[in-house]
Amino acid sequence: MKKDFLAVSDYSPKELQEMLDLAIDLKTEHFSGGNKPLFKGKVLAMIFQKPSLRTRMSFDMAMRHLDGDALYLSPAEIGLGQRESIADIARVLSGYVDAIMARVFDHAHVVELAKWSSIPVINGLSDYNHPCQAMADALTIIEKFGSMKGLNVTFVGDGNNVAVSLLHICTKLGANFTLACPEGYDMLPSAIEIGKKFAAESGSKISFTRDPYAAVEKAHVIYTDTWTSMGQEAETEKRKAVFPPYQVNQKLVDEADKDVIVMHCLPAHRGQELTDEVADGPHSVIFPQAHNRLHAQKAILVKLLA
Ligand code: CP
Ligand code: NVA
C-alpha cells in the first residue's frame, strides 16, 4: 500500500478491488453492531479550502466509528500556502496527528502536502480529481450490478474533476466509459491519456461525444455533476447558457438501459444538471451513493492507517 491516497490512478486494479471489498466488509460490520476500535487514539486532520457536507461529515464519522477522532481546519484557519508554506504545514501536522485529508484548489498543493508529510495524505477533492468520490461510486455500482466489468458508464456534463476520477476507476476495473460534454468543456487530455492506458490493460472502451442521447444508449450508469465547480463561480452564467442540452432529465434516462442507475456526487443543482423527477425517481441512487462515501473512506483509512 502507498503512503497516500491522491488518485485512483496510483493504485492497481487489485489494490482498488481489495479496498472496495474491505469497504463492503466494514459496511456489513457497521450495520451488524459496529466497527472494531481500530483507530483508538488516532486523529485525522481535515484541511478544507472549499466548502463541504459529504466529505467533511463522512470522514469525521468514519474516524468516530473506528474510535478515532477528526479535527476540522477551515479555509481561513491555516491559510494553506499563504499564512504558511505547505511544506511547513505538512511537517508540523506530521508531529500532531496520524493522517491528513485535504480539499484544495490546486492539485499540486495536495501533492506537495504528501511530499512533505511523514503521515498519509488523502485527497478530498482537487481541481484535477476526486478519488474518494470515485471509490464510493464504484462501491455503489458494484452493490447494484455485482461488478464493474463490462458495464457502460456514461458521464453527461462537464469533463471535470469528478469525471476524471470516474474515468480512471472505470477503466481500472473494466467498465466502458463515455463522456458527453459540450465543446470547450472536454476532459483534460492528460487525464484521457491515462484512462486510455488503463482501458488497454483492462479491455474496456472509452468514447467521447457531443450527443448526450447517443452517449446514454445502452448505459447502465448515467452520471452527472454540477455545471459550475467550486472556484469557477465567475463562469456560472456562461455555463448556464451552454449546458442545458446536457441536463439529465426523464427523456434522457428513457434512452438508457431499462435498469440504468442515475448517479450524482452532490451537491445537486436541481432543475439544472438534474431534474427533481430523475433525482427522486426510481433509477436514482444519489443518496445511497452519498452514504457510501462513509464506507469507502473507512476502507481507505484502514488501509493507510491501521
Ligand atoms: N460529493 C462531495 O464531495 O460533496 P461535498 O462537497 O459536500 O463534500
Ligand atoms: N465538481 C464539483 C464536485 C463537488 C463535490 C466541484 O469541484 O465543485
Side-chain angles (χ1 to χ4, degrees):
M1 193 70 186
K2 302 198 159 44
K3 178 176 85 69
D4 309 299
F5 189 78
L6 303 182
V8 293
S9 52
D10 292 338
Y11 286 86
S12 69
K14 184 167 172 282
E15 288 169 324
L16 293 170
Q17 193 57 59
E18 278 170 10
M19 269 189 268
L20 291 164
D21 291 344
L22 178 60
I24 292 168
D25 290 347
L26 289 164
K27 185 172 178 177
T28 308
E29 187 181 79
H30 170 68
F31 286 116
S32 25
N35 295 124
K36 298 194 179 76
L38 293 181
F39 293 163
K40 197 164 179 50
K42 297 209 168 169
V43 178
L44 173 73
M46 305 192 293
I47 300 174
F48 282 92
Q49 286 191 313
K50 305 173 186 177
S52 169
L53 171 66
R54 281 143 290 271
T55 305
R56 178 179 177 182
M57 288 302 298
S58 55
F59 267 107
D60 194 334
M61 292 312 296
M63 289 303 292
R64 288 175 194 222
H65 287 170
L66 293 146
D67 227 13
D69 242 315
L71 293 172
Y72 170 72
L73 293 157
S74 72
E77 220 131 27
I78 58 172
L80 200 72
Q82 285 163 350
R83 180 169 183 261
E84 198 167 357
S85 80
I86 293 172
D88 286 358
I89 290 170
R91 286 174 288 182
V92 170
L93 283 177
S94 295
Y96 294 155
V97 296
D98 302 280
I100 300 168
M101 190 280 296
R103 166 166 289 193
V104 299
F105 284 102
D106 185 347
H107 186 71
H109 290 171
V110 74
V111 173
E112 178 87 351
L113 260 181
K115 179 181 161 192
W116 289 99
S117 58
S118 57
I119 54 176
V121 172
I122 299 170
N123 175 2
L125 177 138
S126 71
D127 285 3
Y128 172 62
N129 65 354
H130 198 357
C132 296
Q133 182 67 53
M135 294 301 282
D137 299 341
L139 178 58
T140 309
I141 296 170
I142 290 166
E143 282 179 337
K144 171 74 183 170
F145 295 102
S147 150
M148 294 202 42
K149 195 111 198 128
L151 292 179
N152 300 320
V153 176
T154 297
F155 189 100
V156 181
D158 189 15
N160 64 14
N161 44 7
V162 170
V164 164
S165 288
L166 188 66
L167 164 68
H168 291 166
I169 200 132
C170 282
T171 49
K172 280 271 179 188
L173 299 180
N176 304 315
F177 178 89
T178 301
L179 172 66
C181 69
E183 200 178 340
Y185 299 92
D186 295 299
M187 192 180 282
L188 216 59
S190 57
I192 296 174
E193 285 313 307
I194 294 170
K196 279 186 182 162
K197 184 173 154 282
F198 299 153
E201 286 162 6
S202 72
S204 68
K205 295 193 197 81
I206 308 178
S207 48
F208 300 94
T209 174
R210 302 275 175 239
D211 180 353
Y213 285 88
V216 300
E217 206 188 319
K218 300 203 174 92
H220 302 102
V221 176
I222 298 176
Y223 200 123
T224 192
D225 183 16
T226 182
W227 295 337
T228 305
S229 285
M230 290 180 276
Q232 300 171 336
E233 288 77 7
E235 296 174 24
T236 304
E237 290 312 312
K238 187 175 135 210
R239 286 168 174 264
K240 270 190 187 167
V242 171
F243 276 97
Y246 296 84
Q247 181 185 68
V248 174
N249 52 35
Q250 198 56 50
K251 189 162 169 265
L252 189 73
V253 173
D254 287 344
E255 294 300 313
D257 186 87
K258 66 174 182 27
D259 293 323
V260 68
I261 58 171
V262 175
M263 303 182 75
H264 191 308
C265 58
L266 304 180
H269 304 79
R270 287 163 174 258
Q272 294 184 35
E273 75 272 7
L274 186 66
T275 59
D276 280 331
E277 187 182 13
V278 172
D280 301 325
H283 297 283
S284 172
V285 298
I286 60 175
F287 297 117
Q289 177 188 1
H291 298 158
N292 274 338
R293 292 290 300 277
L294 174 65
H295 311 292
Q297 288 158 197
K298 269 185 197 170
I300 296 166
L301 288 164
V302 168
K303 286 280 185 189
L304 296 177
L305 266 176

